Amino acid sequence: MTHVCEECGRTLSRQRQIHRRTIESRHGEIAIERPYFYCRHCQRGYHPFDQALELAPERKQYDLQRAAAELFTEVPFARASQIFERLTGIPMTDHCMQDVAAKLGEAADPVRVLPSRQRVEAIIEHAGNGRVWRPVLVVAADGAAVPTRPEAQSRSEKRGAGEWKEAKGLRMYLVGQERIEQILSWHQIATEEEFGEALRLAATLIPVERVRVALLGDGAKWLWTHLQAAFPTGKEILDYYHCCERVHHVAHLQYPEQNQQAGWIEATMARLNFGEVASVIWGLQRMSPASLEAEEEIRKLIGYLHTNSQRINYRSFKRGQYPRGSGGIESANKFICHVRMKRSGAWWYVLNGNTMLRLRCAFYNETFDEVFARYKRLRK
Ligand SMILES: [Zn+2]
């Protein structure tokens, strides 16, 4: 029995001693014995059986690691460790789980986490079936604050102060009659440029000629620049609920009385719904501010409406069956970001936080199998 050295190509003969190891899988603990080959020249040892059997280098085998990943992407590591042992009878420390997470994170690149173009085309094909109009594909972007902490330079150094950083989220989905059809999600604590890059990569997966693209976002400028660059023909829509929030804010500052407040909000939103942005701006300019704060907020709202005036024509959007709100991205933010990232007392290193976000996106995009396959490949 021989084995060929993967580095120098020499034929190695089997070492005399048998190597034993104990592995743990769902089926419990198993002691195995397998031959060992060693290349003196390259100073490298081989256990070809491990490869043939797809054994993980760790004691805990891939089936357990995968099950752990399903848990620790949902709940904190310590809690995941508890549940894991209760369900499987096999102990797995939270430290071990963090280790698995970090290694999986290295395998979770955008190409793996995002679905393939083929898959995206299949989803669109299915949704467009029997319809006269091309389906509306919403590209929504939004930010969510994640609690982060700086990496300590040394063990003795005190932990730096925590800081909230923005996880920039991107979601694409099809708007159906009753429900929305998920296409992809990508969330990362990243710079604007990195967000733009991810968005452009995601855009290459979309057959734009087969859908009508709607770009949905709040007032943030960075977001529109990148959305437009990735989808030059997309229809821009200012998120109705975000717009509504801004109007509410001014109403609270301007009108002390509840009825007055509600009346003004209703009238204003009705006008905006009809795309009458200019008349709303005109009305705001004529207002005599109730306070300095109200004056400042009125000024800001005018600027906001002016900048986004082309994105507020909700009635015409409705005629085209475009959505007016990005309830979709907000629920994705909640689901992907808040649920796991915003736990009391949890402050993330950016690297670990981004790993967690990528793994959660992979589960949401149903691409976790691809990530896991790459993880195994990278370790051979
Ligand atoms: Zn060798």
Side-chain angles (χ1 to χ4, degrees):
M1 193 174 167
T2 56
H3 186 71
V4 174
C5 174
E6 282 165 27
E7 288 186 31
C8 67
R10 283 183 173 80
T11 301
L12 312 173
S13 57
R14 181 177 166 169
Q15 298 284 295
R16 196 120 47 97
Q17 87 264 36
I18 290 284
H19 273 209
R20 294 189 172 83
R21 71 180 286 214
T22 303
I23 58 168
E24 274 179 81
S25 77
R26 263 187 229 211
H27 312 293
E29 237 177 56
I30 311 165
I32 57 165
E33 294 183 342
R34 71 271 202 252
Y36 179 62
F37 299 85
Y38 185 76
C39 178
R40 273 170 233 280
H41 197 77
C42 305
Q43 300 192 330
R44 214 185 130 175
Y46 296 95
H47 292 108
F49 273 39
D50 289 15
Q51 274 188 31
L53 294 173
E54 288 206 13
L55 295 186
E58 297 85 8
R59 185 184 168 102
K60 299 270 191 290
Q61 291 306 299
Y62 288 129
D63 59 345
L64 295 181
Q65 294 185 26
R66 210 204 131 109
E70 301 240 7
L71 270 176
F72 67 62
T73 50
E74 288 300 323
V75 296
F77 289 106
R79 181 82 188 112
S81 169
Q82 281 177 345
I83 300 174
F84 189 85
E85 185 167 357
R86 222 167 274 166
L87 294 181
T88 62
I90 300 166
M92 187 163 182
T93 64
D94 53 344
H95 189 84
C96 178
M97 289 191 177
Q98 284 178 21
D99 209 47
V100 172
K103 289 179 200 152
L104 273 172
E106 288 165 27
D109 60 349
V111 176
R112 245 56 54 161
V113 173
L114 298 174
S116 66
R117 167 129 180 164
Q118 210 178 5
R119 166 101 175 273
V120 172
E121 284 179 350
I123 298 171
I124 291 170
E125 171 84 41
H126 182 76
N129 228 347
R131 283 215 222 155
V132 185
W133 284 21
R134 286 173 294 157
V136 171
L137 180 130
V138 176
V139 181
D142 197 3
V146 172
T148 68
R149 58 178 163 155
E151 205 91 40
Q153 296 303 308
S154 68
R155 222 174 239 259
S156 57
E157 193 195 49
K158 265 202 166 174
R159 236 180 231 171
E163 191 190 343
W164 289 83
K165 285 196 174 160
E166 190 178 47
K168 294 181 170 64
L170 161 71
R171 188 181 185 197
M172 297 187 192
Y173 53 91
L174 292 177
V175 184
Q177 296 291 65
E178 273 122 40
R179 57 194 209 105
I180 60 173
E181 197 83 48
Q182 162 79 359
I183 292 195
L184 62 86
S185 287
W186 179 256
H187 292 244
Q188 289 283 275
I189 304 162
T191 63
E192 233 190 274
E193 287 70 33
E194 289 164 332
F195 171 81
E197 207 177 301
L199 178 59
R200 285 193 299 279
L201 173 67
T204 64
L205 304 172
I206 307 299
V208 280
E209 70 290 347
R210 291 172 53 193
V211 289
R212 293 179 294 140
V213 175
L215 308 173
L216 253 163
D218 60 20
K221 269 210 188 75
W222 59 266
L223 179 156
W224 291 107
T225 317
H226 292 288
L227 286 174
Q228 286 160 348
F231 295 96
T233 58
K235 188 179 271 302
E236 296 173 30
I237 301 172
L238 180 71
D239 181 63
Y240 178 81
Y241 304 98
H242 189 264
C243 182
C244 200
E245 233 174 82
R246 301 283 297 251
V247 169
H248 273 252
H249 187 53
V250 165
H252 287 294
L253 293 170
Q254 181 68 12
Y255 299 108
E257 207 222 313
Q258 201 95 62
N259 276 346
Q260 239 182 334
Q261 237 179 55
W264 184 74
I265 291 169
E266 204 189 322
T268 306
M269 289 317 294
R271 281 189 193 157
L272 291 179
N273 235 333
F274 279 91
E276 294 168 10
V277 185
S279 94
V280 171
I281 291 178
W282 185 76
L284 284 166
Q285 283 164 338
R286 285 179 60 227
M287 248 177 196
S288 35
S291 65
L292 276 178
E293 199 189 353
E295 185 174 354
E296 175 64 10
E297 290 306 313
I298 289 168
R299 190 188 61 77
K300 280 194 202 158
L301 181 59
I302 291 172
Y304 173 81
L305 293 174
H306 184 76
T307 312
N308 293 297
S309 58
Q310 297 308 308
R311 305 177 179 133
I312 302 182
N313 202 345
Y314 296 116
R315 198 173 53 151
S316 90
F317 298 152
K318 195 178 173 191
R319 273 199 299 266
Q321 295 179 351
Y322 289 99
R324 63 180 184 174
S326 60
I329 184 78
E330 267 144 38
S331 67
N333 255 339
K334 213 172 252 159
F335 181 80
I336 291 184
C337 220
H338 303 199
V339 167
R340 180 69 179 86
M341 312 301 283
K342 283 190 188 172
R343 297 258 176 174
S344 60
W347 291 85
W348 295 85
Y349 290 133
V350 172
L351 184 69
N352 298 347
N354 275 340
T355 287
M356 185 56 73
L357 286 169
R358 285 202 300 272
L359 296 179
R360 285 179 64 76
C361 284
F363 276 112
Y364 206 40
N365 294 341
E366 294 180 26
T367 54
F368 189 76
D369 284 341
E370 278 90 305
V371 172
F372 207 80
R374 179 164 191 247
Y375 165 65
K376 293 205 286 198
R377 249 190 344 264
L378 286 177
R379 318 183 73 210
K380 274 186 185 159

